[in-house]
Amino acid sequence: GEWDRKSFLGVELRNKTLGVLGMGRIGSEVAKRAKAFGMEIWGYDPFLTEERAEKLGIRLSSVDDIIRNADFMTVHTPLTPETRHMIGKAQFEVMKKGMRIINCARGGIIDELALVEAVDQGIVAGAAFDVFESEPPAADHPFLSNPKIIVTPHLGASTVEAQENVAIDVSEQVLNILRDKPFMNAVNMPPIPANVLNILQPYFNLGEKLGSFAAQLTEGAIQEITVNFAGELAEVDTQPLTRYIVRGVLSHHLGSEMVNVVNSMHLAKERSVNIIIQKSHTSRDFTNLVTVTLRSKQEERLVAGTLLTGYGPRIVQIDKFPVDVAPGGNLILVSHNDKPGIIGRVGTLLGTNDVNIATMQVGRKIVGGAAIMVLSVDKGVPKDVLSQIAELPDLNNAKEIILY
Protein backbone atom coordinates (compact mmCIF):
# COMPACT_ATOMS: atom_id res chain seq x y z
CA GLY A 1 0.00 0.00 0.00
CA GLU A 2 3.00 2.33 -0.29
CA TRP A 3 4.05 4.50 -3.25
CA ASP A 4 7.70 3.35 -3.02
CA ARG A 5 9.12 3.94 -6.51
CA LYS A 6 12.80 4.22 -5.57
CA SER A 7 12.99 0.59 -4.37
CA PHE A 8 11.94 -0.80 -7.75
CA LEU A 9 14.47 0.47 -10.26
CA GLY A 10 14.77 -2.02 -13.12
CA VAL A 11 16.91 -2.61 -16.21
CA GLU A 12 15.99 -2.86 -19.90
CA LEU A 13 16.42 -5.93 -22.07
CA ARG A 14 17.33 -3.88 -25.14
CA ASN A 15 21.02 -4.10 -26.14
CA LYS A 16 21.69 -6.73 -23.45
CA THR A 17 23.23 -10.16 -24.03
CA LEU A 18 21.05 -13.18 -23.21
CA GLY A 19 22.73 -16.55 -22.72
CA VAL A 20 20.46 -19.54 -23.41
CA LEU A 21 21.77 -22.84 -22.04
CA GLY A 22 19.85 -25.51 -23.94
CA MET A 23 18.68 -24.69 -27.46
CA GLY A 24 16.02 -27.37 -27.82
CA ARG A 25 12.41 -26.56 -28.65
CA ILE A 26 11.79 -24.34 -25.61
CA GLY A 27 15.19 -22.63 -25.63
CA SER A 28 14.79 -21.82 -29.33
CA GLU A 29 11.36 -20.27 -28.73
CA VAL A 30 12.77 -18.19 -25.87
CA ALA A 31 15.54 -16.95 -28.17
CA LYS A 32 13.01 -15.89 -30.82
CA ARG A 33 11.04 -13.85 -28.30
CA ALA A 34 14.13 -12.29 -26.74
CA LYS A 35 15.32 -11.10 -30.16
CA ALA A 36 12.10 -9.07 -30.41
CA PHE A 37 13.33 -7.05 -27.42
CA GLY A 38 16.56 -6.17 -29.22
CA MET A 39 18.75 -8.63 -27.29
CA GLU A 40 21.89 -10.34 -28.57
CA ILE A 41 21.49 -14.10 -28.08
CA TRP A 42 24.36 -16.43 -27.19
CA GLY A 43 23.26 -20.08 -27.24
CA TYR A 44 24.75 -23.35 -26.03
CA ASP A 45 23.47 -26.87 -26.68
CA PRO A 46 25.34 -30.18 -27.11
CA PHE A 47 23.53 -30.70 -30.45
CA LEU A 48 23.65 -27.11 -31.71
CA THR A 49 25.70 -26.72 -34.90
CA GLU A 50 27.02 -23.47 -36.36
CA GLU A 51 24.64 -23.88 -39.30
CA ARG A 52 21.56 -24.12 -37.09
CA ALA A 53 22.77 -21.27 -34.86
CA GLU A 54 23.15 -19.08 -37.94
CA LYS A 55 19.64 -20.02 -39.06
CA LEU A 56 18.27 -19.03 -35.63
CA GLY A 57 20.21 -15.77 -35.75
CA ILE A 58 22.17 -16.47 -32.57
CA ARG A 59 25.82 -16.82 -31.59
CA LEU A 60 26.99 -20.39 -30.91
CA SER A 61 28.83 -20.25 -27.58
CA SER A 62 30.24 -22.40 -24.80
CA VAL A 63 28.85 -22.47 -21.26
CA ASP A 64 31.99 -20.68 -20.07
CA ASP A 65 31.61 -17.89 -22.66
CA ILE A 66 27.99 -17.31 -21.64
CA ILE A 67 28.83 -17.23 -17.93
CA ARG A 68 31.58 -14.67 -18.46
CA ASN A 69 29.74 -12.37 -20.88
CA ALA A 70 25.94 -12.58 -20.57
CA ASP A 71 23.81 -9.95 -18.84
CA PHE A 72 20.92 -12.42 -18.52
CA MET A 73 21.05 -16.20 -18.48
CA THR A 74 18.22 -18.71 -18.81
CA VAL A 75 18.57 -22.52 -18.61
CA HIS A 76 16.50 -24.96 -20.68
CA THR A 77 18.38 -28.25 -20.31
CA PRO A 78 17.18 -31.51 -18.76
CA LEU A 79 18.58 -32.51 -15.37
CA THR A 80 21.28 -35.14 -15.94
CA PRO A 81 24.44 -36.08 -14.01
CA GLU A 82 26.30 -33.80 -16.45
CA THR A 83 24.00 -30.77 -15.97
CA ARG A 84 23.42 -31.10 -12.22
CA HIS A 85 24.93 -27.97 -10.59
CA MET A 86 26.45 -26.98 -13.95
CA ILE A 87 26.17 -23.44 -12.57
CA GLY A 88 27.79 -23.51 -9.13
CA LYS A 89 30.33 -21.72 -6.97
CA ALA A 90 33.15 -21.94 -9.52
CA GLN A 91 30.95 -20.45 -12.25
CA PHE A 92 29.66 -17.61 -10.03
CA GLU A 93 33.26 -16.64 -9.24
CA VAL A 94 33.99 -15.82 -12.90
CA MET A 95 30.52 -14.53 -13.79
CA LYS A 96 29.92 -11.05 -15.16
CA LYS A 97 28.94 -8.91 -12.16
CA GLY A 98 25.29 -7.89 -12.27
CA MET A 99 24.12 -11.00 -14.15
CA ARG A 100 20.45 -11.98 -13.83
CA ILE A 101 19.48 -15.67 -13.90
CA ILE A 102 16.21 -17.46 -14.74
CA ASN A 103 15.51 -21.16 -14.20
CA CYS A 104 12.22 -22.48 -15.54
CA ALA A 105 13.65 -25.86 -16.59
CA ARG A 106 14.57 -28.25 -13.75
CA GLY A 107 15.62 -27.72 -10.17
CA GLY A 108 19.23 -28.71 -9.53
CA ILE A 109 20.77 -27.34 -12.73
CA ILE A 110 21.83 -24.29 -10.70
CA ASP A 111 23.31 -24.80 -7.22
CA GLU A 112 20.74 -23.02 -5.06
CA LEU A 113 22.98 -22.32 -2.04
CA ALA A 114 25.79 -21.06 -4.28
CA LEU A 115 23.28 -18.75 -5.99
CA VAL A 116 22.11 -17.25 -2.70
CA GLU A 117 25.74 -16.58 -1.79
CA ALA A 118 26.36 -14.94 -5.19
CA VAL A 119 23.28 -12.75 -4.75
CA ASP A 120 24.40 -11.69 -1.27
CA GLN A 121 27.88 -10.86 -2.63
CA GLY A 122 26.42 -8.69 -5.41
CA ILE A 123 27.64 -10.97 -8.22
CA VAL A 124 24.09 -11.83 -9.25
CA ALA A 125 21.77 -8.82 -9.35
CA GLY A 126 18.60 -10.91 -9.37
CA ALA A 127 17.17 -14.36 -10.02
CA ALA A 128 13.80 -15.86 -10.93
CA PHE A 129 13.07 -19.53 -10.24
CA ASP A 130 10.03 -21.61 -11.18
CA VAL A 131 11.65 -24.93 -10.21
CA PHE A 132 13.56 -26.18 -7.18
CA GLU A 133 15.87 -29.01 -6.16
CA SER A 134 13.16 -30.18 -3.74
CA GLU A 135 9.53 -29.42 -4.57
CA PRO A 136 7.76 -27.90 -2.85
CA PRO A 137 10.67 -26.02 -1.22
CA ALA A 138 10.93 -26.03 2.57
CA ALA A 139 9.32 -23.13 4.42
CA ASP A 140 12.75 -21.84 5.45
CA HIS A 141 14.26 -22.07 1.94
CA PRO A 142 16.56 -19.02 1.53
CA PHE A 143 14.96 -18.11 -1.82
CA LEU A 144 11.66 -17.30 -0.12
CA SER A 145 13.04 -14.52 2.05
CA ASN A 146 15.51 -12.95 -0.38
CA PRO A 147 14.18 -9.71 -1.92
CA LYS A 148 16.36 -10.16 -5.03
CA ILE A 149 14.91 -13.59 -5.91
CA ILE A 150 11.47 -14.08 -7.47
CA VAL A 151 9.88 -17.53 -7.05
CA THR A 152 6.82 -19.24 -8.57
CA PRO A 153 5.52 -22.77 -7.78
CA HIS A 154 6.43 -24.63 -11.02
CA LEU A 155 3.87 -22.81 -13.18
CA GLY A 156 5.59 -23.29 -16.56
CA ALA A 157 2.57 -24.98 -18.15
CA SER A 158 -0.14 -23.44 -15.97
CA THR A 159 -2.14 -21.52 -18.54
CA VAL A 160 -5.58 -22.23 -19.95
CA GLU A 161 -4.09 -22.39 -23.45
CA ALA A 162 -1.29 -24.79 -22.50
CA GLN A 163 -3.69 -27.25 -20.87
CA GLU A 164 -6.00 -27.14 -23.91
CA ASN A 165 -3.07 -27.67 -26.28
CA VAL A 166 -1.97 -30.77 -24.35
CA ALA A 167 -5.44 -32.27 -24.77
CA ILE A 168 -5.41 -31.42 -28.50
CA ASP A 169 -1.95 -32.97 -28.96
CA VAL A 170 -3.01 -36.20 -27.27
CA SER A 171 -6.16 -36.40 -29.38
CA GLU A 172 -4.23 -35.84 -32.61
CA GLN A 173 -1.72 -38.55 -31.70
CA VAL A 174 -4.50 -41.07 -31.01
CA LEU A 175 -6.13 -40.23 -34.35
CA ASN A 176 -2.81 -40.63 -36.18
CA ILE A 177 -2.31 -44.09 -34.69
CA LEU A 178 -5.87 -45.16 -35.55
CA ARG A 179 -5.41 -43.88 -39.11
CA ASP A 180 -1.99 -45.56 -39.52
CA LYS A 181 -0.29 -42.16 -39.85
CA PRO A 182 3.16 -41.29 -38.39
CA PHE A 183 3.14 -40.43 -34.67
CA MET A 184 5.71 -38.94 -32.30
CA ASN A 185 4.80 -40.33 -28.88
CA ALA A 186 3.70 -43.74 -27.67
CA VAL A 187 4.09 -45.91 -24.60
CA ASN A 188 5.00 -49.07 -26.51
CA MET A 189 7.11 -49.82 -29.55
CA PRO A 190 5.47 -51.31 -32.65
CA PRO A 191 5.30 -55.12 -32.32
CA ILE A 192 8.42 -57.07 -33.33
CA PRO A 193 8.12 -60.59 -34.83
CA ALA A 194 9.10 -63.22 -32.26
CA ASN A 195 11.94 -64.66 -34.38
CA VAL A 196 13.49 -61.20 -34.80
CA LEU A 197 12.99 -60.29 -31.14
CA ASN A 198 14.81 -63.46 -30.04
CA ILE A 199 17.89 -62.35 -31.98
CA LEU A 200 17.81 -58.64 -31.08
CA GLN A 201 16.68 -58.59 -27.46
CA PRO A 202 19.99 -59.75 -25.94
CA TYR A 203 21.65 -56.76 -27.66
CA PHE A 204 19.22 -54.04 -26.50
CA ASN A 205 21.09 -53.25 -23.28
CA LEU A 206 24.49 -53.45 -24.98
CA GLY A 207 23.36 -51.16 -27.79
CA GLU A 208 22.11 -48.47 -25.42
CA LYS A 209 25.37 -48.56 -23.45
CA LEU A 210 27.48 -48.37 -26.60
CA GLY A 211 25.53 -45.25 -27.58
CA SER A 212 25.98 -43.70 -24.14
CA PHE A 213 29.71 -44.56 -24.07
CA ALA A 214 30.27 -43.01 -27.49
CA ALA A 215 28.31 -39.87 -26.53
CA GLN A 216 30.41 -39.36 -23.40
CA LEU A 217 33.57 -39.68 -25.49
CA THR A 218 32.61 -37.19 -28.19
CA GLU A 219 33.39 -33.48 -27.95
CA GLY A 220 31.22 -30.99 -29.81
CA ALA A 221 27.72 -31.08 -31.26
CA ILE A 222 26.94 -34.55 -32.60
CA GLN A 223 26.05 -34.32 -36.28
CA GLU A 224 26.01 -37.96 -37.36
CA ILE A 225 25.47 -41.42 -35.85
CA THR A 226 26.69 -44.36 -37.93
CA VAL A 227 25.77 -47.87 -36.79
CA ASN A 228 27.29 -50.95 -38.38
CA PHE A 229 25.72 -54.35 -37.72
CA ALA A 230 28.02 -57.23 -38.63
CA GLY A 231 27.40 -60.99 -38.60
CA GLU A 232 24.03 -62.62 -37.99
CA LEU A 233 22.50 -59.27 -36.95
CA ALA A 234 22.81 -58.13 -40.56
CA GLU A 235 20.24 -60.75 -41.57
CA VAL A 236 17.30 -59.20 -39.66
CA ASP A 237 15.50 -55.86 -39.33
CA THR A 238 17.71 -53.99 -36.84
CA GLN A 239 15.54 -50.87 -36.51
CA PRO A 240 14.42 -51.77 -32.94
CA LEU A 241 18.07 -52.17 -31.86
CA THR A 242 18.97 -48.91 -33.60
CA ARG A 243 16.38 -47.13 -31.46
CA TYR A 244 18.14 -48.33 -28.29
CA ILE A 245 21.52 -47.16 -29.59
CA VAL A 246 20.19 -43.70 -30.50
CA ARG A 247 18.47 -43.52 -27.12
CA GLY A 248 21.84 -44.15 -25.44
CA VAL A 249 23.46 -41.36 -27.46
CA LEU A 250 20.73 -38.78 -26.80
CA SER A 251 20.05 -39.68 -23.15
CA HIS A 252 23.51 -38.52 -22.11
CA HIS A 253 22.57 -34.96 -23.05
CA LEU A 254 18.76 -34.94 -22.86
CA GLY A 255 18.18 -37.24 -19.87
CA SER A 256 16.73 -40.75 -19.72
CA GLU A 257 13.30 -39.41 -18.72
CA MET A 258 12.98 -37.47 -21.98
CA VAL A 259 14.35 -40.06 -24.41
CA ASN A 260 12.83 -43.50 -24.92
CA VAL A 261 13.01 -46.17 -27.61
CA VAL A 262 9.83 -44.85 -29.23
CA ASN A 263 10.82 -41.19 -29.63
CA SER A 264 14.61 -41.50 -29.96
CA MET A 265 14.63 -41.44 -33.78
CA HIS A 266 12.22 -38.48 -33.84
CA LEU A 267 14.32 -36.52 -31.33
CA ALA A 268 17.46 -37.17 -33.39
CA LYS A 269 15.74 -35.88 -36.53
CA GLU A 270 14.43 -32.85 -34.62
CA ARG A 271 18.04 -31.99 -33.71
CA SER A 272 19.31 -32.53 -37.30
CA VAL A 273 21.36 -35.60 -36.28
CA ASN A 274 21.91 -37.78 -39.37
CA ILE A 275 21.61 -41.54 -38.76
CA ILE A 276 23.37 -43.98 -41.11
CA ILE A 277 22.86 -47.76 -40.92
CA GLN A 278 25.41 -50.13 -42.44
CA LYS A 279 25.38 -53.93 -42.54
CA SER A 280 28.16 -56.48 -43.04
CA HIS A 281 27.23 -60.14 -43.31
CA THR A 282 30.63 -61.25 -42.03
CA SER A 283 32.32 -60.16 -38.82
CA ARG A 284 35.97 -60.93 -38.22
CA ASP A 285 36.59 -62.63 -34.84
CA PHE A 286 32.97 -62.30 -33.58
CA THR A 287 29.64 -63.93 -34.39
CA ASN A 288 28.01 -60.49 -34.15
CA LEU A 289 29.50 -57.03 -33.80
CA VAL A 290 27.78 -53.67 -33.23
CA THR A 291 29.90 -50.62 -34.05
CA VAL A 292 28.75 -47.10 -33.18
CA THR A 293 30.58 -44.13 -34.70
CA LEU A 294 29.73 -40.55 -33.73
CA ARG A 295 30.85 -37.56 -35.77
CA SER A 296 30.96 -33.95 -34.65
CA LYS A 297 32.65 -31.00 -36.29
CA GLN A 298 35.65 -31.52 -34.00
CA GLU A 299 36.15 -35.28 -34.15
CA GLU A 300 34.99 -38.81 -34.89
CA ARG A 301 34.79 -41.46 -32.14
CA LEU A 302 34.09 -45.20 -32.38
CA VAL A 303 32.94 -47.83 -29.91
CA ALA A 304 32.22 -51.48 -30.77
CA GLY A 305 30.70 -54.27 -28.71
CA THR A 306 29.44 -57.82 -28.79
CA LEU A 307 28.05 -60.60 -26.59
CA LEU A 308 30.62 -63.20 -25.53
CA THR A 309 29.35 -66.63 -24.48
CA GLY A 310 29.84 -67.00 -20.75
CA TYR A 311 30.85 -63.36 -20.28
CA GLY A 312 27.89 -61.34 -21.53
CA PRO A 313 28.10 -57.89 -23.13
CA ARG A 314 31.59 -56.56 -23.79
CA ILE A 315 33.11 -53.47 -25.36
CA VAL A 316 35.79 -54.84 -27.68
CA GLN A 317 37.05 -51.71 -29.44
CA ILE A 318 37.43 -48.01 -28.56
CA ASP A 319 38.53 -45.93 -31.55
CA LYS A 320 41.43 -47.92 -33.06
CA PHE A 321 42.30 -49.81 -29.87
CA PRO A 322 41.19 -53.39 -29.09
CA VAL A 323 39.93 -53.84 -25.50
CA ASP A 324 37.79 -56.20 -23.42
CA VAL A 325 35.62 -54.14 -21.08
CA ALA A 326 32.34 -54.91 -19.30
CA PRO A 327 30.03 -51.94 -20.12
CA GLY A 328 28.77 -50.91 -16.71
CA GLY A 329 29.40 -48.78 -13.62
CA ASN A 330 32.04 -46.08 -13.30
CA LEU A 331 34.86 -46.21 -15.83
CA ILE A 332 37.92 -44.02 -16.38
CA LEU A 333 39.30 -43.80 -19.92
CA VAL A 334 42.91 -42.63 -20.03
CA SER A 335 44.75 -41.74 -23.24
CA HIS A 336 48.52 -42.04 -22.86
CA ASN A 337 51.84 -42.92 -24.43
CA ASP A 338 52.83 -46.54 -23.95
CA LYS A 339 55.73 -46.20 -21.52
CA PRO A 340 56.79 -48.07 -18.36
CA GLY A 341 55.46 -46.78 -15.03
CA ILE A 342 52.27 -45.11 -16.27
CA ILE A 343 49.91 -47.74 -14.84
CA GLY A 344 51.64 -47.49 -11.47
CA ARG A 345 51.42 -43.68 -11.35
CA VAL A 346 47.71 -43.70 -12.19
CA GLY A 347 47.00 -46.41 -9.61
CA THR A 348 48.96 -44.57 -6.92
CA LEU A 349 47.12 -41.31 -7.59
CA LEU A 350 43.71 -43.01 -7.42
CA GLY A 351 44.65 -44.88 -4.26
CA THR A 352 45.82 -41.67 -2.60
CA ASN A 353 42.38 -40.21 -3.32
CA ASP A 354 40.54 -43.28 -1.94
CA VAL A 355 39.35 -44.51 -5.35
CA ASN A 356 39.49 -48.32 -5.57
CA ILE A 357 40.26 -49.97 -8.94
CA ALA A 358 38.14 -53.05 -9.70
CA THR A 359 39.53 -53.95 -13.15
CA MET A 360 41.98 -52.53 -15.67
CA GLN A 361 42.42 -52.96 -19.42
CA VAL A 362 45.13 -51.54 -21.69
CA GLY A 363 44.71 -51.22 -25.45
CA ARG A 364 47.55 -50.45 -27.88
CA LYS A 365 48.44 -51.02 -31.51
CA ILE A 366 52.24 -50.91 -31.29
CA VAL A 367 54.74 -51.07 -28.44
CA GLY A 368 55.71 -47.59 -27.28
CA GLY A 369 53.00 -45.85 -29.32
CA ALA A 370 49.65 -44.31 -28.45
CA ALA A 371 47.55 -46.37 -26.03
CA ILE A 372 44.44 -46.25 -23.85
CA MET A 373 43.75 -47.52 -20.37
CA VAL A 374 40.22 -48.36 -19.16
CA LEU A 375 39.77 -48.60 -15.39
CA SER A 376 36.64 -49.82 -13.67
CA VAL A 377 36.35 -48.12 -10.26
CA ASP A 378 34.01 -48.57 -7.31
CA LYS A 379 32.69 -44.98 -7.18
CA GLY A 380 32.57 -41.69 -9.04
CA VAL A 381 35.85 -39.84 -9.51
CA PRO A 382 36.03 -36.15 -8.50
CA LYS A 383 36.84 -33.77 -11.38
CA ASP A 384 39.99 -32.51 -9.69
CA VAL A 385 41.32 -36.09 -9.50
CA LEU A 386 40.68 -36.57 -13.23
CA SER A 387 42.60 -33.34 -13.86
CA GLN A 388 45.51 -34.61 -11.76
CA ILE A 389 45.59 -37.85 -13.78
CA ALA A 390 45.64 -35.93 -17.07
CA GLU A 391 48.59 -33.86 -15.80
CA LEU A 392 50.78 -36.92 -15.13
CA PRO A 393 53.80 -37.31 -17.45
CA ASP A 394 53.01 -38.98 -20.82
CA LEU A 395 49.25 -38.83 -20.21
CA ASN A 396 47.10 -36.95 -22.72
CA ASN A 397 43.58 -37.08 -21.34
CA ALA A 398 41.42 -38.66 -18.62
CA LYS A 399 37.66 -38.94 -18.91
CA GLU A 400 35.02 -40.49 -16.66
CA ILE A 401 32.41 -42.69 -18.35
CA ILE A 402 29.29 -43.61 -16.35
CA LEU A 403 27.15 -46.53 -17.58
CA TYR A 404 24.08 -47.65 -15.62
Side-chain angles (χ1 to χ4, degrees), residues 29-103:
E29 292 294 335
V30 170
K32 289 178 188 176
R33 286 155 176 77
K35 286 183 70 178
F37 288 97
M39 303 190 82
E40 181 181 358
I41 315 298
W42 292 25
Y44 163 79
D45 189 278
F47 296 100
L48 182 64
T49 61
E50 289 183 4
E51 293 77 12
R52 182 163 172 260
E54 186 176 343
K55 191 176 294 185
L56 291 169
I58 68 171
R59 175 172 173 170
L60 177 59
S61 307
S62 66
V63 176
D64 188 58
D65 284 341
I66 289 173
I67 288 168
R68 292 176 183 273
N69 295 285
D71 302 297
F72 289 80
M73 183 168 64
T74 176
V75 295
H76 298 284
T77 69
L79 181 64
T80 67
E82 192 174 55
T83 63
R84 182 172 182 80
H85 288 185
M86 67 185 296
I87 308 298
K89 187 176 179 62
Q91 287 70 36
F92 287 121
E93 288 176 350
V94 298
M95 192 170 285
K96 184 176 182 179
K97 191 170 183 180
M99 161 89 82
R100 287 171 169 82
I101 297 178
I102 301 95
N103 184 6

Side-chain angles (χ1 to χ4, degrees), residues 164-238:
E164 288 180 351
N165 287 334
V166 168
I168 291 169
D169 286 346
V170 170
S171 302
E172 288 177 344
Q173 290 295 301
V174 172
L175 286 172
N176 284 345
I177 292 170
L178 294 176
R179 293 168 178 168
D180 291 327
K181 291 183 178 181
F183 53 89
M184 292 187 297
N185 307 293
V187 175
N188 302 312
M189 280 180 60
I192 306 171
N195 62 321
V196 175
L197 184 62
N198 288 338
I199 296 172
L200 295 182
Q201 194 166 33
Y203 288 87
F204 285 164
N205 183 257
L206 170 66
E208 186 169 344
K209 289 184 176 180
L210 288 176
S212 178
F213 195 110
Q216 293 178 65
L217 279 185
T218 308
E219 299 291 339
I222 296 169
Q223 299 176 328
E224 189 172 273
I225 303 171
T226 300
V227 184
N228 184 283
F229 298 103
E232 295 176 355
L233 289 173
E235 306 291 338
V236 299
D237 179 7
T238 53

Side-chain angles (χ1 to χ4, degrees), residues 288-355:
N288 288 301
L289 186 68
V290 181
T291 304
V292 180
T293 304
L294 301 189
R295 184 178 63 82
S296 70
K297 192 166 186 177
Q298 288 94 322
E299 61 179 355
E300 183 175 288
R301 305 304 295 263
L302 178 150
V303 181
T306 189
L307 297 181
L308 296 180
T309 304
Y311 295 95
R314 314 295 287 189
I315 294 173
V316 296
Q317 184 178 343
I318 300 172
D319 294 326
K320 63 181 179 181
F321 302 105
V323 293
D324 181 8
V325 177
N330 295 85
L331 304 173
I332 305 174
L333 177 65
V334 180
S335 301
H336 61 95
N337 300 321
D338 183 33
K339 292 187 177 181
I342 288 180
I343 293 174
R345 288 198 291 270
V346 172
T348 300
L349 179 56
L350 289 174
T352 303
N353 288 276
D354 195 34
V355 178

Side-chain angles (χ1 to χ4, degrees), residues 12 46 69 99 135 138 144 183 215 274 283:
E12 295 184 1
N69 295 285
M99 161 89 82
E135 295 183 352
L144 306 182
F183 53 89
N274 189 32
S283 173

